């Protein structure tokens, strides 16, 4: 058991050092940071402080229910960091001091209540609240993530640094981390403590890895359509494709639906309706399919000496990974498996 405590203590130290180093790099050394990176830096700083307090349980005779109850009450505030992260991803600029104070109010109320009446009834009520709060964040986050993904696929052809599909594995590890935290809060266990620290380290390492170059996009309120300025498209899909292909618009790496709407002398709203109604595709999928069928495959057939990186770039893709995903989606094969 003593060795297990040593492992737990070691992980507390590693976690504290990890979060402290990340916050120091982002907030002090990385001067040209984005707002989103600054938010990440402050989240790392908060987690560093939370991990420092856990050193208390490594002292002799401190691994008690009373101490663990206080640690759990303080740890519950970590739910706010997940809330901030999800909302900053899907709604840039959401984090404001007033919002944070309002969100922290129920957490602070339970902490004060336990200070006045340190009973298990307060702890159980707090756990129920945290459970409901966590599911509220998960459900709200899921809805907002889907809305965000739908928006960028309807409006952008290059989503390299604005995509948030990487949130799926992050959500998975967040669930594992919080479940292990819940179990170690209810049933004092050094083994589950170890799982919690490991899952937390993996979780935030993934977040930093996937989101470091992330550039969140604000979803604007849909403007009212003015029929007097733009007209809806009234051409066949084939004629529409031929017109887009003739000008090679799809080869523009940063083509947006606004660019396409301007070329077709309509507006973004009508363009989106045409793509979803007539083409039955999002703007993102429509453009990528043209890139694969009209440029990538002919280049691969006529010039087998070309590298895939060159073909991807010439086809309008911003990265080889995006090219590979699109190629598999529209052909059912990887570029190396495709035969002519």
């Amino acid at each position: 058991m003593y060795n297990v405590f040593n492992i737990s203590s070691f992980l507390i130290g590693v976690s504290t050092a990890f979060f402290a180093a990340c916050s120091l790099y982002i907030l002090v050394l990385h001067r040209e940071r984005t707002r989103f990176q600054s938010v990440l830096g402050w989240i790392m700083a908060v987690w560093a402080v939370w991990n420092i307090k856990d050193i208390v349980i490594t002292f002799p005779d401190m691994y008690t229910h009373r101490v663990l109850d206080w640690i759990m009450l303080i740890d519950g505030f970590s739910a706010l960091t997940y809330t901030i992260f999800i909302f900053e991803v899907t709604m840039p600029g959401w984090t404001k001091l007033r919002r944070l104070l309002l969100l922290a109010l129920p957490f602070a109320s339970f902490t004060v209540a336990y200070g006045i009446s340190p009973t298990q009834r307060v702890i159980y009520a707090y756990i129920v609240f945290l459970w409901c709060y966590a599911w509220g964040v998960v459900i709200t986050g899921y809805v907002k993530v889907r809305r965000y993904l739908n928006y960028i696929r309807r409006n952008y052809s290059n989503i390299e640094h604005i995509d948030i599909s990487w949130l799926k594995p992050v959500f998975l590890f967040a669930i594992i981390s919080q479940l292990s935290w819940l179990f170690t809060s209810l049933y004092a266990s050094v083994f589950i403590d170890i799982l919690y620290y490991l899952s937390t380290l993996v979780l935030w390492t993934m977040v930093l890895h996937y989101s470091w170059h992330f550039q969140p996009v604000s979803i604007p309120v849909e403007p009212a359509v003015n029929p007097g300025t733009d007209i809806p498209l009234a051409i066949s899909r084939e004629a529409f494709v031929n017109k887009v292909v003739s000008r090679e618009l799809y080869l523009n790496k940063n083509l947006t639906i606004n660019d396409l709407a301007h070329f077709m002398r309509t507006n973004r709203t009508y363009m989106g309706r045409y793509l979803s109604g007539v083409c039955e595709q999002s703007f993102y999928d429509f453009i990528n399919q043209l890139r694969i069928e009209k440029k990538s495959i002919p280049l691969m057939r006529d010039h087998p000496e070309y590298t895939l990186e060159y073909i991807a770039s010439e086809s309008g893709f911003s990265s080889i990974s995006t090219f590979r995903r699109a190629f598999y989606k529209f052909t059912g094969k990887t570029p190396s498996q495709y035969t002519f």
Side-chain angles (χ1 to χ4, degrees):
M1 190 64 165
Y2 181 74
N3 290 332
V4 176
F5 265 111
N6 283 343
I7 296 174
S8 179
S9 301
F10 173 75
L11 286 175
I12 292 173
V14 169
S15 298
T16 303
F18 170 79
F19 289 116
C22 289
S23 64
L24 177 66
Y25 173 76
I26 296 173
L27 299 177
V28 179
L29 301 179
H30 190 62
R31 298 183 182 277
E32 297 181 0
R33 58 184 179 271
T34 64
R35 172 191 163 84
F36 182 76
Q37 289 172 338
S38 294
V39 171
L40 277 179
W42 283 111
I43 289 176
M44 295 296 102
V46 170
W47 274 87
V49 173
W50 270 320
N51 275 271
I52 288 175
K53 75 168 183 347
D54 289 343
I55 296 176
V56 171
I57 64 175
T58 66
F59 297 152
D61 302 321
M62 291 300 292
Y63 202 83
T64 65
H65 282 290
R66 181 59 61 85
V67 173
L68 291 176
D69 284 347
W70 276 110
I71 288 178
M72 185 190 71
L73 287 164
I74 299 172
D75 277 345
F77 283 81
S78 66
L80 298 176
T81 62
Y82 296 109
T83 307
I84 293 169
F85 176 74
I86 291 296
F87 277 73
E88 277 294 325
V89 165
T90 56
M91 299 171 62
W94 178 87
T95 304
K96 306 290 184 184
L97 179 59
R98 184 170 177 270
R99 288 196 179 110
L100 293 181
L101 291 176
L102 288 174
L103 281 175
L105 185 59
F107 296 88
S109 299
F110 276 104
T111 305
V112 172
Y114 186 77
I116 297 172
S117 176
T119 63
Q120 287 302 299
R121 183 176 300 177
V122 175
I123 295 298
Y124 291 144
Y126 187 56
I127 291 172
V128 172
F129 162 73
L130 289 176
W131 183 259
C132 295
Y133 182 90
W135 275 110
V137 171
V138 169
I139 294 171
T140 303
Y142 177 78
V143 172
K144 289 187 176 296
V145 166
R146 281 184 59 87
R147 180 169 174 258
Y148 180 93
L149 288 172
N150 287 335
Y151 174 78
I152 63 172
R153 281 171 167 77
R154 289 198 310 266
N155 291 274
Y156 298 90
S157 65
N158 179 9
I159 63 173
E160 190 69 20
H161 296 306
I162 61 177
D163 189 19
I164 55 174
S165 299
W166 45 265
L167 273 176
K168 294 178 181 178
V170 169
F171 267 124
L172 175 62
F173 272 93
I175 292 172
I176 294 174
S177 175
Q178 292 310 294
L179 283 177
S180 60
W181 172 82
L182 179 61
F183 277 110
T184 198
S185 299
L186 291 172
Y187 311 102
S189 170
V190 181
F191 291 103
I192 301 179
D193 273 349
I194 292 173
L195 175 61
Y196 169 69
Y197 291 118
L198 287 174
S199 61
T200 301
L201 283 172
V202 172
L203 167 66
W204 288 109
T205 300
M206 291 173 64
V207 167
L208 290 170
H209 171 73
Y210 287 118
S211 68
W212 183 247
H213 297 291
F214 176 63
Q215 300 170 2
V217 173
S218 297
I219 302 178
V221 177
E222 288 291 335
V225 177
N226 184 353
T229 57
D230 298 291
I231 59 173
L233 297 178
I235 60 176
S236 67
R237 185 184 190 279
E238 182 180 2
F240 174 65
V241 169
N242 289 337
K243 194 168 183 179
V244 175
V245 171
S246 67
R247 292 288 298 272
E248 295 190 332
L249 295 177
Y250 60 97
L251 297 182
N252 178 357
K253 288 181 173 64
N254 297 309
L255 184 71
T256 68
I257 196 170
N258 284 328
D259 298 329
L260 186 57
H262 179 73
F263 172 71
M264 298 301 297
R265 298 189 177 183
T266 184
N267 60 39
R268 180 172 62 84
T269 302
Y270 284 138
M271 190 75 260
R273 291 175 183 173
Y274 181 86
L275 289 170
S276 61
V278 177
C279 301
E280 298 182 338
Q281 287 179 299
S282 66
F283 171 73
Y284 179 74
D285 285 339
F286 174 77
I287 295 300
N288 280 349
Q289 185 171 7
L290 288 185
R291 289 169 174 171
I292 295 297
E293 295 180 351
K294 303 299 182 181
K295 192 69 175 182
S296 301
I297 291 178
L299 280 176
M300 291 169 63
R301 181 186 62 237
D302 300 335
H303 298 279
E305 72 278 11
Y306 288 171
T307 64
L308 291 180
E309 287 79 7
Y310 178 80
I311 292 173
S313 179
E314 288 296 297
S315 301
F317 289 98
S318 57
S319 69
I320 184 66
S321 58
T322 304
F323 165 68
R324 291 180 187 276
R325 287 194 298 269
F327 196 94
Y328 185 83
K329 180 173 184 177
F330 296 114
T331 67
K333 298 179 180 179
T334 64
S336 59
Q337 294 173 331
Y338 195 83
T339 56
F340 299 97

